[in-house]
Amino acid sequence: MRKISLIFLLLIPFLLVAQSFNDEGMMDEETGRESTPSSPALGLGGTLGNILIDGTYYTQFRFQPEITIWKFGLGLDIDLLIDSNGNVRKEDWDSWDDALSKLYYFRFAQRQDPFYFKVGSINDYTMGHGLIFDEYSNMLHYPNVKPIGAYVGTNLKSLGAGFEVFTHDVSKNEILGGHLYIQPLKPTGIPIVKNLKIGASIGMDRDPYGKYEDSDGDGYPDVYDKFPNDPYYWLDTDNDGIPDNMDIDLNGNSILDHPSLNPYVNSEFPGIADNYPNYPFDTQVYPDEAMPIDQSNEITIYGLDYELPILNKKSFGLSHYAEYAKIEDYGSGIIFPGFAARFLIFNLNLEFRSFKDQFLPGFFNHLYDEQRSQVVYTTIESENGRRCYSLKTKESELAGVTSSLGWFGSLKANLGNFAYLRVTYQDMYNDSKTKGKSLWGELTVIPNIIPKLQEASIVYGQSNVDYISFDTLRNENAEIGGKIVYNLSSSFNLALRYNEYYRDLNRDGKIKGNDEIIESMSLGIEFQF
């Protein structure tokens, strides 16, 4: 891990020497508007209000100062969360990692520039045409978890080549990506074909279980290890504070367990069953079970792609592209043909997709940080509600995916200062039910006709499901969010934000209860000076 971190650090000075900077304007990633900050720009923003994290409401004092100098941008995220008892949330301030997480971003230029980098929050990372990384976010669990991600890359226009490397978290380097491209026909000077780009990509998760801490290194994650700081114990079926392998009454009913079901009883009272054959032992003993982590579970995806810009005018653009991706030890998928068009306020994509068995597109997508591994448990009611805990990875879904053909399309529309619309749809089909139906939409309205209402937006999506049903909006591959911003004065807004996604802990196909709905909500006064 240290070697990988060192490689990322060494790349930056190497690229600085290898490539000169240009003086073109930079594109703001949030607004999409071009700006050229020739002089330093300072800003102080933040939020005062309430926020919901892991089912607990906190009063938040969040300060987000920003500074922009030329193409450099720096943003901080300094938060102070106070619970109902007046106590500061210590998890945000008890380690050096927490101090580093106050960096929201540090960046230079944009991804289309000769040299660029960004460190910190990465909300929508896409590589190639989306078969490997598609809108991946390392901020899914923000503000509860704030990893420091990074990407760095270069576009050597004079050579017709470039590359980029990516990590979701510079301290862990578990989710990694890389992309390299060349323009082999550029020296020919032949119109159109000289712009052909051929690329190769790789994406990997070196440890899908890395999402969960294992403080004592016993192979059982803290999330279901009842004794996370002791490597010798991990289960406590009756939650009495006594480990199962040192408990003579596993189910807590105050009846001595039969030694044939609980070996610890026989170790404490040797021969008790033979000496007292008529003793009313508990013969209905069903201790919980827990599966240890499989340490060898790396997943790697390789890809090849090309893109051919055909027309690039001010009001109209058209390009053709294709992409192939292969999940190591599993299946492959291809986009061919793919077309992208830009016309006035619209951006459109249309692709024909063909997937083999055991392949899912956009494996590293917006919800991947949640789906890479998840806690699941089986409750056996006939055995007094005994639970069997384990971790399920997204990789495990691949075995049940069958080959399919279908279409993918997306539409983006920027309606001036009034609204922004984005819709994507994927319809994959074969002779039987298969994963591959996707629908994702975002609508942001800036309603000038309603006084003081600055913004109203909603986002909803389902990705790679068997079928899209609006009767069951909540499922493991769905997400919903929204935002309302009301203007109070020139520097202050009242903002409400809400987001939720889901996990099916008991594998019953239904989302219900607080444990299976992960929601975040904040309401407060936002300020910007």
Side-chain angles (χ1 to χ4, degrees), residues 187-218:
T188 68
I190 301 174
I192 300 180
V193 298
K194 68 178 182 180
N195 297 319
L196 176 68
K197 288 185 178 181
I198 299 176
S201 303
I202 184 172
M204 66 174 67
D205 188 345
R206 297 169 55 243
D207 182 13
Y209 297 123
K211 166 183 172 183
Y212 295 103
E213 294 288 338
D214 180 15
S215 300
D216 53 17
D218 60 2

Coordinates of all heavy atoms in Angstrom, one line a residue, residues 187-218:
P187 N -0.3 12.1 -37.0 CA 0.7 12.6 -37.9 C 0.3 12.6 -39.4 O 0.9 13.4 -40.2 CB 1.9 11.6 -37.7 CG 1.6 11.0 -36.3 CD 0.2 11.0 -36.2
T188 N -0.7 11.9 -39.8 CA -1.1 11.8 -41.2 C -1.8 13.1 -41.6 O -1.7 13.5 -42.8 CB -2.1 10.7 -41.4 OG1 -3.3 10.9 -40.8 CG2 -1.5 9.4 -40.9
G189 N -2.4 13.8 -40.7 CA -3.1 15.1 -41.0 C -4.3 14.9 -41.8 O -5.0 15.8 -42.3
I190 N -4.8 13.6 -42.0 CA -6.0 13.4 -42.8 C -7.2 13.8 -42.0 O -7.4 13.5 -40.8 CB -6.2 11.9 -43.0 CG1 -4.9 11.3 -43.8 CG2 -7.4 11.6 -43.8 CD1 -4.9 9.9 -44.0
P191 N -8.1 14.6 -42.6 CA -9.3 15.2 -41.9 C -10.1 14.0 -41.2 O -10.2 12.9 -41.8 CB -10.1 15.9 -43.0 CG -9.0 16.2 -44.0 CD -8.0 15.1 -44.0
I192 N -10.7 14.3 -40.1 CA -11.5 13.4 -39.3 C -10.7 12.3 -38.7 O -10.6 12.2 -37.5 CB -12.7 12.9 -40.1 CG1 -13.6 14.1 -40.6 CG2 -13.5 11.9 -39.3 CD1 -14.8 13.6 -41.4
V193 N -10.1 11.4 -39.5 CA -9.5 10.2 -39.0 C -8.2 10.6 -38.1 O -7.8 9.8 -37.3 CB -9.1 9.2 -40.1 CG1 -10.3 8.7 -40.8 CG2 -8.1 9.8 -41.1
K194 N -7.7 11.8 -38.4 CA -6.5 12.1 -37.6 C -6.9 12.3 -36.1 O -6.0 12.3 -35.2 CB -5.9 13.4 -38.1 CG -6.8 14.7 -37.9 CD -6.1 15.9 -38.4 CE -7.0 17.2 -38.2 NZ -6.4 18.4 -38.7
N195 N -8.2 12.5 -35.8 CA -8.6 12.7 -34.5 C -9.0 11.4 -33.7 O -9.4 11.5 -32.6 CB -9.8 13.7 -34.5 CG -9.5 15.0 -35.0 OD1 -8.4 15.6 -34.7 ND2 -10.4 15.6 -35.8
L196 N -8.8 10.3 -34.4 CA -9.2 9.0 -33.8 C -8.3 8.8 -32.5 O -7.1 8.9 -32.5 CB -8.9 7.9 -34.8 CG -9.1 6.5 -34.2 CD1 -10.6 6.2 -33.9 CD2 -8.5 5.4 -35.2
K197 N -9.0 8.5 -31.4 CA -8.4 8.2 -30.1 C -8.6 6.7 -29.8 O -9.7 6.2 -29.9 CB -8.9 9.0 -29.0 CG -8.5 10.5 -29.0 CD -9.1 11.2 -27.8 CE -8.7 12.6 -27.8 NZ -9.2 13.3 -26.5
I198 N -7.5 6.0 -29.5 CA -7.6 4.6 -29.0 C -7.1 4.5 -27.6 O -6.0 5.1 -27.3 CB -6.8 3.7 -29.9 CG1 -7.3 3.8 -31.4 CG2 -6.8 2.3 -29.4 CD1 -6.5 3.0 -32.4
G199 N -7.9 3.9 -26.7 CA -7.5 3.9 -25.3 C -7.6 2.6 -24.7 O -8.2 1.6 -25.2
A200 N -6.9 2.4 -23.5 CA -6.9 1.2 -22.7 C -7.2 1.6 -21.3 O -6.6 2.6 -20.8 CB -5.6 0.4 -22.9
S201 N -8.0 0.8 -20.6 CA -8.3 1.2 -19.2 C -8.2 0.0 -18.3 O -8.2 -1.2 -18.7 CB -9.8 1.7 -19.1 OG -10.0 2.8 -20.0
I202 N -8.1 0.3 -17.0 CA -8.1 -0.7 -16.0 C -8.8 -0.1 -14.7 O -8.6 1.0 -14.4 CB -6.7 -1.3 -15.6 CG1 -6.8 -2.4 -14.6 CG2 -5.8 -0.1 -15.1 CD1 -5.4 -3.1 -14.4
G203 N -9.6 -0.9 -14.1 CA -10.2 -0.6 -12.8 C -10.1 -1.7 -11.9 O -10.3 -2.9 -12.3
M204 N -9.9 -1.5 -10.6 CA -9.8 -2.6 -9.7 C -10.3 -2.2 -8.3 O -10.2 -1.0 -7.9 CB -8.4 -3.2 -9.6 CG -7.4 -2.2 -9.0 SD -5.7 -3.0 -8.8 CE -5.3 -3.3 -10.5
D205 N -10.7 -3.2 -7.5 CA -10.9 -3.0 -6.1 C -10.0 -4.1 -5.4 O -10.3 -5.3 -5.5 CB -12.4 -3.2 -5.7 CG -12.7 -2.9 -4.3 OD1 -11.7 -2.8 -3.5 OD2 -13.8 -2.7 -3.9
R206 N -9.0 -3.6 -4.8 CA -8.0 -4.5 -4.2 C -8.5 -5.3 -3.0 O -8.0 -6.3 -2.6 CB -6.7 -3.8 -3.9 CG -6.0 -3.2 -5.1 CD -4.9 -2.2 -4.7 NE -3.9 -2.9 -3.8 CZ -3.7 -2.5 -2.6 NH1 -4.4 -1.4 -2.1 NH2 -2.8 -3.1 -1.8
D207 N -9.6 -4.7 -2.4 CA -10.1 -5.3 -1.2 C -11.5 -4.8 -1.0 O -11.8 -3.8 -0.3 CB -9.3 -4.9 0.1 CG -9.8 -5.6 1.3 OD1 -10.6 -6.5 1.2 OD2 -9.3 -5.2 2.4
P208 N -12.5 -5.5 -1.6 CA -13.9 -5.0 -1.4 C -14.4 -5.0 0.0 O -15.3 -4.3 0.4 CB -14.7 -6.1 -2.2 CG -13.8 -6.6 -3.2 CD -12.4 -6.6 -2.6
Y209 N -13.7 -5.8 0.9 CA -14.1 -5.8 2.3 C -13.5 -4.7 3.1 O -13.7 -4.5 4.3 CB -13.7 -7.2 2.9 CG -14.4 -8.4 2.4 CD1 -13.7 -9.4 1.8 CD2 -15.8 -8.5 2.4 CE1 -14.3 -10.5 1.3 CE2 -16.4 -9.6 1.8 CZ -15.7 -10.6 1.3 OH -16.3 -11.7 0.8
G210 N -12.6 -3.9 2.4 CA -11.9 -2.8 3.1 C -12.9 -1.7 3.6 O -12.5 -0.9 4.4
K211 N -14.1 -1.8 3.1 CA -15.1 -0.9 3.6 C -15.3 -1.0 5.2 O -15.7 -0.1 5.8 CB -16.4 -1.1 2.9 CG -17.7 -0.5 3.5 CD -18.9 -1.0 2.7 CE -20.2 -0.5 3.3 NZ -21.4 -1.0 2.5
Y212 N -15.1 -2.2 5.7 CA -15.4 -2.5 7.1 C -14.1 -2.7 7.9 O -13.2 -3.4 7.4 CB -16.2 -3.8 7.2 CG -17.6 -3.7 6.6 CD1 -17.9 -4.2 5.4 CD2 -18.6 -3.0 7.3 CE1 -19.2 -4.1 4.9 CE2 -19.9 -2.8 6.8 CZ -20.1 -3.4 5.5 OH -21.4 -3.3 5.0
E213 N -14.0 -2.0 9.0 CA -12.9 -2.1 9.9 C -12.8 -3.5 10.6 O -13.9 -4.1 10.9 CB -12.9 -1.0 10.9 CG -12.8 0.4 10.4 CD -11.4 0.7 9.9 OE1 -10.4 0.0 10.4 OE2 -11.2 1.6 9.1
D214 N -11.6 -4.0 10.8 CA -11.4 -5.2 11.6 C -10.3 -4.8 12.6 O -9.2 -5.1 12.4 CB -11.0 -6.4 10.7 CG -10.8 -7.7 11.6 OD1 -11.2 -7.7 12.7 OD2 -10.2 -8.6 11.0
S215 N -10.8 -4.2 13.7 CA -9.8 -3.6 14.6 C -8.8 -4.6 15.3 O -7.7 -4.2 15.5 CB -10.6 -2.8 15.7 OG -11.4 -1.8 15.2
D216 N -9.3 -5.8 15.6 CA -8.5 -6.7 16.3 C -7.8 -7.7 15.3 O -7.1 -8.6 15.8 CB -9.2 -7.5 17.4 CG -10.5 -8.1 16.9 OD1 -10.7 -8.2 15.6 OD2 -11.4 -8.4 17.7
G217 N -8.1 -7.6 14.0 CA -7.4 -8.5 13.1 C -7.8 -10.0 13.2 O -7.0 -10.8 12.8
D218 N -9.0 -10.3 13.7 CA -9.4 -11.7 13.9 C -10.1 -12.2 12.6 O -10.5 -13.4 12.6 CB -10.2 -11.9 15.1 CG -11.5 -11.1 15.1 OD1 -11.8 -10.4 14.1 OD2 -12.2 -11.1 16.1

